[in-house]
Amino acid sequence: MKRKNAALSRVFTALVFLFLYAPIFLLIVFSFNKGNSNIVWTGFSLDWYRSLFQNRLIMRSVYTTLLVSLLATAIATFAGTFAAIGFYSLRRRSRNVLNTVNNIPMMNADIVTGVAMCLFFVAFFTFWSGFAVWFNGVQSVIVLPGRLTLGFGTLLIAHVTFNIPYVILSVGPKLRQMDKNLVDAAQDLCCTWMQAFWKVILPEIKPGIASGALTAFTMSVDDFIISYFTAGSSASTLAMTIYGMTKKRVTPEINAISTLLFVTVLFLLVIVNLRAEHAKPERRPHPISQKLTRLLYSPRGKWLRWGGTGVVAACFLTAVVLLTGATNAQPVVNVCSWGEYIDEDLITRFEEETGIIVNYQTSESNESLYSLLKSGAGDYDVVVPSDYMISQLIEEDMLAELDYSQIPNYDLISGRFKGLSYDPQERYTVPYTWGTVGIIYNTTMVDEPITSWSAMFDSQYAGNVLMFRNSRDAMATALCYLGYSLNTTDEGELREAFALLKDAKNRGVYQSFVMDEIYQKMEGGNAAIGAYYAGDYLTMLENNEDLAFVVPEEGSNWFMDAMCVLKDAPHYDEAMAWINFIASTDANLANMDYIWYASPNQEALEQYPAYYEELYEEPLNPEIYEIMAAPQETLDRCEAYLVLPLETRRLYNELWTELGI
């Protein structure tokens, strides 16, 4: 019976570990995939590891992540260890109260902590601006900066803050296991408290310190939400970079860096456990160590200790000041766009040509960008929202008027993309890319070519249809099919479209509501039909030639993303230089080839087929070009989104909540 139970226990344990580590194993395997799919294996290759170290955005975020994590770990470990010792010296009742308070940040939702810290920093910076004006006005010896912004410094403070409780939690149990009489005995033998700490307390709590430091490091590396709200525009962690890559699929480069991080953390765990297992408390210290200890705690050593502490503190403060103020040493421009929505070589070219450093960050959606800007955490110069969000930003007086005299390449923008409804007077925007929304379908999984939005609601394809996981696009599919305007404010029409979606959901038509997940599902043949964007379809087509795309006969949405400058942008002239560079024909040609979205630059639109043929030594398929840059007759059947009235937006939210997505 015991053998049977033991066998069952081993099987259960194996299943638990398989459940925990199978996703990680899959991630590691596909980091060596020759193709760029995360589900279709095309052969072994190290290309993605080579590409990883050439990816400017990822490597810069890796550098920031490791630097913040190491500094935050060192500071939090130091502060948390001495805080735990302080707790230990208190009476039990007081200690229990403080331990409870220490546990609150760990149990608190990250979103609450992130927003709270963002609001605190923004409030402090507002106070600082007024104080700096007053201080600079009453004296001229020291000039304080009038404007502080979120950046490396606030990111580091945030990481230290949420790491300290984990260190206290790890060190506390080791202190409670220690015999208090040891410290008293050491002091009775004429040890100072610091000598007692080094010779008695530290050896006892070393495993707890190591565990706390490792926890702090992994928490810092992994954190996204708190970093997102406190990093500002000049710093971006790896988690932020990965999470922001939602306009297009996360590439195997991310699998490669995730594999390296996993192996690194695993290595650290092994080292810590081996050291703990083979630790020999009775082992005599090395003679050199004994001599250093005697020197440090001799009367002369007092100055060495204090001097060393001062040097370490000064080095740390200097490092933080240099890192947080590095961007002030040369011109910078802070840009926020979508993930993988630019040929990164253009960033390097711009920096080389102008000497202006580009801090490039990404956002996952128009709505998340708007929330970030409203919170005060997004201190950007240039943003690239979509048409309807641009209208909302203009209405709320959040955009600055552009100086088109500094943007001569604006003349290259096709006339049909100027003066559109979101910026009719051409004061705030320069178009970036445009495209259409349509239906992607697997030709081997449907009976005949799809031409209508009816396929998105047809029980014939039940369980094989993918619908948008955002209310505006999902409702648009139903509104188009019903023949209503995408910008209708009629409650009856909106409720009719909602009823169509809900009925299809109840009938099991939808396999799931998705955004980026559509890449894996459509490329791997796990779904037959999905609504998505034309440019992203062309990316999927590279991994599955059975896919097709159509703008339905009832019409669809055509969208425009445009470059804008935020009001009171700290680097206005640099923003003008960036916009003018990106609007050039060369930049647009490179972008079209990289992201498969159409350019509003007339020269680029006309030259791209020849550019493609010269680059790849084969002609561009005309059908591919028409999907990327839809002809005017297709656009005439489509409609652009407009910003909806507040009452209509509330109705959208109410209906979407009722749909249960």
Side-chain angles (χ1 to χ4, degrees):
M1 188 68 176
K2 289 183 178 179
R3 290 182 179 178
K4 183 178 179 180
N5 289 338
L8 289 174
S9 177
R10 285 193 291 269
V11 170
F12 179 75
T13 302
L15 289 174
V16 169
F17 277 96
L18 179 64
F19 176 78
L20 290 174
Y21 290 102
I24 297 176
F25 176 75
L26 187 66
L27 178 146
I28 293 173
V29 168
F30 276 93
S31 72
F32 298 101
N33 190 15
K34 188 175 183 180
N36 63 354
S37 173
N38 287 321
I39 196 169
V40 179
W41 179 261
T42 57
F44 180 87
S45 174
L46 293 174
D47 289 346
W48 294 113
Y49 285 87
R50 285 191 289 268
S51 177
L52 167 67
F53 292 104
Q54 297 172 359
N55 188 307
R56 175 188 175 280
L57 295 179
I58 292 179
M59 293 312 298
R60 180 175 285 187
S61 65
V62 168
Y63 171 77
T64 301
T65 298
L66 292 178
L67 188 60
V68 168
S69 298
L70 290 171
L71 286 174
T73 297
I75 299 168
T77 302
F78 179 84
T81 298
F82 282 96
I85 294 173
F87 286 11
Y88 174 71
S89 66
L90 298 173
R91 293 182 178 180
R92 177 174 295 182
R93 179 176 297 179
S94 299
R95 185 167 65 242
N96 290 340
V97 171
L98 288 177
N99 281 328
T100 301
V101 173
N102 181 68
N103 291 336
I104 292 175
M106 293 183 289
M107 300 174 64
N108 194 25
D110 282 353
I111 186 68
V112 176
T113 302
V115 172
M117 296 200 74
C118 173
L119 293 176
F120 170 78
F121 287 131
V122 171
F124 175 76
F125 293 160
T126 302
F127 164 78
W128 175 269
S129 297
F131 172 75
V133 171
W134 171 81
F135 186 81
N136 293 335
V138 298
Q139 56 83 49
S140 58
V141 178
I142 300 175
V143 179
L144 297 178
R147 181 177 184 179
L148 296 179
T149 59
L150 297 176
F152 185 89
T154 55
L155 180 63
L156 178 59
I157 292 171
H159 277 243
V160 171
T161 301
F162 74 71
N163 278 333
I164 287 177
Y166 292 97
V167 178
I168 295 174
L169 185 67
S170 298
V171 175
K174 296 299 179 183
L175 286 166
R176 290 192 291 273
Q177 293 171 10
M178 186 181 68
D179 187 351
K180 271 191 174 183
N181 295 324
L182 291 175
V183 179
D184 294 336
Q187 292 180 324
D188 289 341
L189 293 173
C190 300
C191 281
T192 64
W193 186 91
M194 188 57 69
Q195 288 174 320
F197 170 77
W198 284 106
K199 293 176 180 292
V200 178
I201 298 177
L202 186 60
E204 294 288 330
I205 65 175
K206 269 185 180 179
I209 295 175
S211 176
L214 185 61
T215 301
F217 180 77
T218 54
M219 290 293 294
S220 283
V221 169
D222 183 61
D223 175 72
F224 162 71
I225 296 178
I226 297 175
S227 299
Y228 181 77
F229 284 100
T230 59
S233 57
S234 59
S236 180
T237 65
L238 182 61
M240 293 168 62
T241 299
I242 295 172
Y243 197 79
M245 296 173 66
T246 55
K247 263 297 208 178
K248 296 183 75 173
R249 170 191 50 244
V250 175
T251 70
E253 291 171 315
I254 301 302
N255 293 347
I257 188 61
S258 300
T259 298
L260 294 176
L261 287 174
F262 173 76
V263 171
T264 301
V265 172
L266 181 63
F267 177 76
L268 290 173
L269 282 170
V270 170
I271 293 297
V272 169
N273 285 312
L274 287 176
R275 289 194 62 184
E277 183 179 348
H278 294 93
K280 302 290 184 181
E282 68 278 4
R283 183 168 27 183
R284 297 183 61 185
H286 194 276
I288 296 178
S289 175
Q290 288 181 315
K291 290 181 181 179
L292 288 174
T293 301
R294 284 197 297 268
L295 175 62
L296 288 173
Y297 293 103
S298 66
R300 286 186 308 168
K302 176 181 178 181
W303 299 106
L304 290 174
R305 295 197 305 272
W306 284 104
T309 302
V311 169
V312 171
C315 290
F316 167 73
L317 292 174
T318 301
V320 171
V321 169
L322 290 175
L323 288 167
T324 55
T327 55
N328 294 327
Q330 61 187 116
V332 300
V333 61
N334 301 320
V335 181
C336 185
S337 186
W338 314 118
E340 288 195 38
Y341 206 38
I342 188 173
D343 182 348
E344 293 168 16
D345 290 341
L346 293 176
I347 298 177
T348 303
R349 281 174 48 193
F350 176 78
E351 290 179 338
E352 292 173 349
E353 291 179 14
T354 65
I356 300 172
I357 295 298
V358 181
N359 294 318
Y360 190 89
Q361 291 189 7
T362 59
S363 180
E364 65 169 340
S365 68
N366 284 288
E367 287 68 28
S368 63
L369 172 64
Y370 175 78
S371 298
L372 191 65
L373 297 178
K374 293 297 285 186
S375 71
D379 188 37
Y380 303 111
D381 300 305
V382 181
V383 292
V384 190
S386 300
D387 36 32
Y388 70 95
M389 184 54 65
I390 294 172
S391 297
Q392 187 170 342
L393 295 176
I394 292 174
E395 286 182 7
E396 298 184 21
D397 195 28
M398 296 175 65
L399 298 183
E401 293 191 17
L402 303 183
D403 180 3
Y404 288 96
S405 66
Q406 297 188 56
I407 314 175
N409 286 329
Y410 183 69
D411 294 337
L412 301 175
I413 302 298
S414 172
R416 60 179 173 148
F417 301 121
K418 292 182 177 179
L420 298 178
S421 57
Y422 60 85
D423 186 15
Q425 297 179 352
E426 301 179 46
R427 296 165 56 192
Y428 300 97
T429 62
V430 172
Y432 182 68
T433 58
W434 59 277
T436 56
V437 174
I439 297 176
I440 304 169
Y441 63 95
N442 191 314
T443 56
T444 66
M445 300 176 67
V446 299
D447 296 333
E448 56 186 6
I450 290 175
T451 60
S452 169
W453 284 113
S454 62
M456 299 297 297
F457 312 99
D458 193 341
S459 296
Q460 175 184 354
Y461 303 111
N464 266 318
V465 180
L466 304 175
M467 176 55 78
F468 282 110
R469 196 175 62 237
N470 73 70
S471 59
R472 192 74 194 264
D473 284 328
M475 288 285 285
T477 64
L479 290 169
C480 277
Y481 176 60
L482 295 171
Y484 299 140
S485 168
L486 302 184
N487 300 301
T488 182
T489 58
D490 184 278
E491 183 174 346
E493 293 178 352
L494 291 171
R495 290 193 177 277
E496 186 179 349
F498 163 74
L500 183 61
L501 284 171
K502 186 174 183 180
D503 177 64
K505 179 175 180 287
N506 292 340
R507 286 185 285 114
V509 172
Y510 303 129
Q511 181 185 110
S512 58
F513 288 72
V514 300
M515 290 303 291
D516 286 350
E517 304 92 319
I518 194 172
Y519 284 97
Q520 315 299 333
K521 291 179 177 290
M522 296 302 297
E523 288 177 0
N526 298 316
I529 300 171
Y532 221 59
Y533 311 105
D536 295 319
Y537 156 73
L538 293 174
T539 300
M540 298 179 208
L541 187 63
E542 295 176 356
N543 294 301
N544 189 338
E545 296 181 353
D546 294 329
L547 299 180
F549 178 86
V550 63
V551 175
E553 58 193 9
E554 298 94 344
S556 184
N557 164 240
W558 82 272
F559 57 87
M560 173 70 72
D561 292 344
M563 296 177 283
C564 314
V565 174
L566 293 176
K567 202 164 190 178
D568 301 322
H571 312 103
Y572 183 86
D573 290 336
E574 290 81 1
M576 296 298 103
W578 170 259
I579 292 175
N580 185 61
F581 174 82
I582 295 299
S584 68
T585 300
D586 287 345
N588 274 269
L589 285 169
N591 256 350
M592 286 181 71
D593 188 66
Y594 184 83
I595 64 177
W596 286 112
Y597 279 87
S599 166
N601 180 305
Q602 187 62 37
E603 289 183 356
L605 279 174
E606 295 171 352
Q607 295 176 17
Y608 182 70
Y611 175 89
Y612 180 94
E613 185 170 358
E614 180 180 355
L615 189 63
Y616 298 103
E617 298 181 349
E618 63 179 17
L620 175 64
N621 186 332
E623 293 182 2
I624 296 295
Y625 183 67
E626 284 202 2
I627 291 173
M628 178 171 59
Q632 189 60 47
E633 54 265 29
T634 299
L635 296 182
D636 290 341
R637 294 190 287 113
C638 297
E639 187 177 8
Y641 288 146
L642 301 177
V643 62
L644 299 172
L646 180 60
E647 296 78 8
T648 305
R649 297 201 298 269
R650 287 174 177 168
L651 178 60
Y652 263 80
N653 292 335
E654 174 191 325
L655 296 175
W656 195 245
T657 301
E658 186 178 341
L659 192 60
I661 305 306

